[in-house]
Amino acid sequence: MSKLTLAVAFGAGYVLGARAGRGRYEQIRAKAQKVAEDPRVQAAADTAKEKAGEVAATVADTAKVKAGEVASTVAETAKDKVGKHASDEDSTP
């Protein structure tokens, strides 16, 4: 198949597909918009937003507590390590 024939076939397929594709796209878009406007879907979306807010607050609180615990542990470990090295230096002749 020559390049010209391939280009013409591609162009024809693109044009025909685009025309058929646009109509189908509009159908899908209209259906999606109708579903999104359904009161049951709106209620479910509102419930999900509220629950997400509650979960986010819980996660944030837990993260604060855990971060504080880890910071304390790291500080204690650092003090122990520094204290051991300082005592090692004092005992050397």
Side-chain angles (χ1 to χ4, degrees), residues 60-76:
D61 291 342
T62 302
K64 286 179 186 177
V65 170
K66 293 296 181 184
E69 292 173 1
V70 169
S72 296
T73 303
V74 168
E76 289 175 19

Side-chain angles (χ1 to χ4, degrees), residues 6-88:
L6 181 61
V8 169
F10 176 78
Y14 179 80
V15 168
L16 294 174
R19 286 189 182 160
R22 181 66 182 187
R24 183 68 181 139
Y25 167 77
E26 291 297 333
Q27 288 176 343
I28 292 169
R29 189 178 68 80
K31 185 68 172 177
Q33 189 171 2
K34 186 177 179 180
V35 168
E37 292 172 353
D38 187 315
R40 294 173 294 179
V41 173
Q42 292 293 324
D46 291 341
T47 302
K49 285 179 187 177
E50 290 173 11
K51 188 66 174 173
E54 293 170 7
V55 170
T58 302
V59 168
D61 291 342
T62 302
K64 286 179 186 177
V65 170
K66 293 296 181 184
E69 292 173 1
V70 169
S72 296
T73 303
V74 168
E76 289 175 19
T77 303
K79 285 179 185 177
D80 289 345
K81 297 256 185 214
V82 169
K84 286 181 183 176
H85 287 298
S87 65
D88 289 346

